[in-house]
Short mmCIF file of all heavy atoms in Angstrom, two decimals:
data_model
loop_
_atom_site.label_atom_id
_atom_site.label_comp_id
_atom_site.label_asym_id
_atom_site.label_seq_id
_atom_site.Cartn_x
_atom_site.Cartn_y
_atom_site.Cartn_z
N VAL A 38 60.50 -87.48 131.64
CA VAL A 38 59.28 -87.17 132.18
C VAL A 38 59.51 -86.75 133.72
O VAL A 38 60.28 -87.42 134.39
CB VAL A 38 58.29 -88.34 132.20
CG1 VAL A 38 57.02 -88.02 132.89
CG2 VAL A 38 58.00 -88.72 130.64
N ARG A 39 58.91 -85.69 134.09
CA ARG A 39 59.12 -85.20 135.46
C ARG A 39 58.59 -86.10 136.52
O ARG A 39 57.61 -86.81 136.32
CB ARG A 39 58.48 -83.79 135.63
CG ARG A 39 59.16 -82.65 134.86
CD ARG A 39 58.56 -81.34 135.31
NE ARG A 39 57.17 -81.13 134.85
CZ ARG A 39 56.74 -80.60 133.77
NH1 ARG A 39 57.61 -80.15 132.95
NH2 ARG A 39 55.44 -80.48 133.56
N THR A 40 59.24 -86.16 137.61
CA THR A 40 58.73 -86.80 138.81
C THR A 40 58.68 -85.84 139.96
O THR A 40 59.55 -85.09 140.27
CB THR A 40 59.68 -87.94 139.21
OG1 THR A 40 59.79 -88.86 138.09
CG2 THR A 40 59.28 -88.75 140.36
N GLY A 41 57.49 -85.81 140.66
CA GLY A 41 57.31 -84.95 141.76
C GLY A 41 56.79 -85.62 142.92
O GLY A 41 56.94 -86.86 143.18
N GLY A 42 56.15 -84.88 143.83
CA GLY A 42 55.64 -85.46 145.04
C GLY A 42 54.56 -86.50 144.86
O GLY A 42 54.30 -87.35 145.70
N SER A 43 53.86 -86.44 143.74
CA SER A 43 52.78 -87.44 143.40
C SER A 43 53.32 -88.54 142.55
O SER A 43 52.55 -89.38 141.99
CB SER A 43 51.59 -86.77 142.74
OG SER A 43 51.04 -85.74 143.57
N GLY A 44 54.66 -88.57 142.36
CA GLY A 44 55.21 -89.66 141.53
C GLY A 44 55.48 -89.19 140.16
O GLY A 44 55.66 -87.98 139.92
N ILE A 45 55.48 -90.10 139.11
CA ILE A 45 55.67 -89.77 137.76
C ILE A 45 54.48 -88.81 137.29
O ILE A 45 53.33 -89.15 137.48
CB ILE A 45 55.73 -90.94 136.84
CG1 ILE A 45 56.88 -91.90 137.37
CG2 ILE A 45 56.05 -90.64 135.44
CD1 ILE A 45 56.88 -93.21 136.76
N ASP A 46 54.87 -87.71 136.69
CA ASP A 46 53.90 -86.73 136.27
C ASP A 46 53.05 -87.18 135.02
O ASP A 46 53.62 -87.18 133.95
CB ASP A 46 54.60 -85.45 136.00
CG ASP A 46 53.69 -84.24 135.76
OD1 ASP A 46 52.56 -84.40 135.17
OD2 ASP A 46 54.05 -83.08 136.16
N ALA A 47 51.83 -87.54 135.23
CA ALA A 47 51.06 -88.05 134.12
C ALA A 47 50.84 -86.95 133.03
O ALA A 47 50.87 -87.34 131.82
CB ALA A 47 49.70 -88.61 134.61
N GLY A 48 50.60 -85.75 133.46
CA GLY A 48 50.36 -84.72 132.50
C GLY A 48 51.57 -84.41 131.62
O GLY A 48 51.40 -84.20 130.36
N HIS A 49 52.78 -84.40 132.14
CA HIS A 49 53.96 -84.27 131.43
C HIS A 49 54.25 -85.36 130.45
O HIS A 49 54.68 -85.15 129.32
CB HIS A 49 55.17 -84.04 132.36
CG HIS A 49 56.40 -83.62 131.65
ND1 HIS A 49 57.71 -84.09 131.97
CD2 HIS A 49 56.63 -82.67 130.76
CE1 HIS A 49 58.59 -83.41 131.20
NE2 HIS A 49 57.90 -82.61 130.46
N LEU A 50 53.96 -86.57 130.91
CA LEU A 50 54.08 -87.77 129.95
C LEU A 50 53.09 -87.54 128.80
O LEU A 50 53.55 -87.80 127.62
CB LEU A 50 53.80 -89.04 130.73
CG LEU A 50 54.06 -90.32 129.87
CD1 LEU A 50 54.69 -91.40 130.75
CD2 LEU A 50 52.76 -90.83 129.34
N LEU A 51 51.90 -87.24 129.08
CA LEU A 51 50.96 -87.06 128.01
C LEU A 51 51.34 -86.00 127.02
O LEU A 51 51.14 -86.10 125.75
CB LEU A 51 49.57 -86.85 128.53
CG LEU A 51 48.82 -88.07 129.11
CD1 LEU A 51 47.56 -87.62 129.89
CD2 LEU A 51 48.45 -89.08 128.09
N GLU A 52 51.85 -84.85 127.48
CA GLU A 52 52.32 -83.71 126.74
C GLU A 52 53.35 -84.17 125.69
O GLU A 52 53.42 -83.60 124.56
CB GLU A 52 52.95 -82.70 127.59
CG GLU A 52 51.94 -81.84 128.39
CD GLU A 52 52.69 -80.89 129.38
OE1 GLU A 52 53.88 -80.67 129.17
OE2 GLU A 52 52.02 -80.35 130.22
N GLN A 53 54.13 -85.19 125.99
CA GLN A 53 55.12 -85.61 125.09
C GLN A 53 54.58 -86.80 124.20
O GLN A 53 54.81 -86.86 122.98
CB GLN A 53 56.37 -86.12 125.83
CG GLN A 53 57.01 -85.02 126.62
CD GLN A 53 58.40 -85.44 127.08
OE1 GLN A 53 59.35 -85.73 126.25
NE2 GLN A 53 58.66 -85.56 128.36
N VAL A 54 53.86 -87.76 124.77
CA VAL A 54 53.44 -88.88 124.07
C VAL A 54 52.36 -88.62 123.03
O VAL A 54 52.48 -89.10 121.85
CB VAL A 54 52.85 -89.98 125.03
CG1 VAL A 54 52.14 -91.07 124.30
CG2 VAL A 54 53.97 -90.57 125.88
N LEU A 55 51.39 -87.80 123.30
CA LEU A 55 50.27 -87.60 122.40
C LEU A 55 50.69 -86.94 121.04
O LEU A 55 50.40 -87.48 119.98
CB LEU A 55 49.19 -86.79 123.02
CG LEU A 55 48.44 -87.50 124.24
CD1 LEU A 55 47.41 -86.56 124.77
CD2 LEU A 55 47.77 -88.78 123.69
N PRO A 56 51.54 -85.88 121.04
CA PRO A 56 51.99 -85.34 119.76
C PRO A 56 52.79 -86.34 118.93
O PRO A 56 52.67 -86.39 117.75
CB PRO A 56 52.77 -84.11 120.13
CG PRO A 56 52.31 -83.70 121.49
CD PRO A 56 51.98 -84.99 122.13
N MET A 57 53.65 -87.09 119.63
CA MET A 57 54.48 -88.05 118.95
C MET A 57 53.57 -89.22 118.38
O MET A 57 53.84 -89.67 117.22
CB MET A 57 55.54 -88.60 119.77
CG MET A 57 56.73 -87.62 120.07
SD MET A 57 58.17 -88.37 120.80
CE MET A 57 57.76 -88.24 122.42
N ALA A 58 52.58 -89.68 119.15
CA ALA A 58 51.70 -90.68 118.66
C ALA A 58 50.93 -90.21 117.46
O ALA A 58 50.77 -90.99 116.46
CB ALA A 58 50.74 -91.05 119.79
#
Side-chain angles (χ1 to χ4, degrees):
V38 175
R39 291 190 295 265
T40 300
S43 299
I45 302 169
D46 189 327
H49 191 221
L50 184 141
L51 286 168
E52 286 175 13
Q53 297 194 63
V54 168
L55 292 178
M57 285 192 276

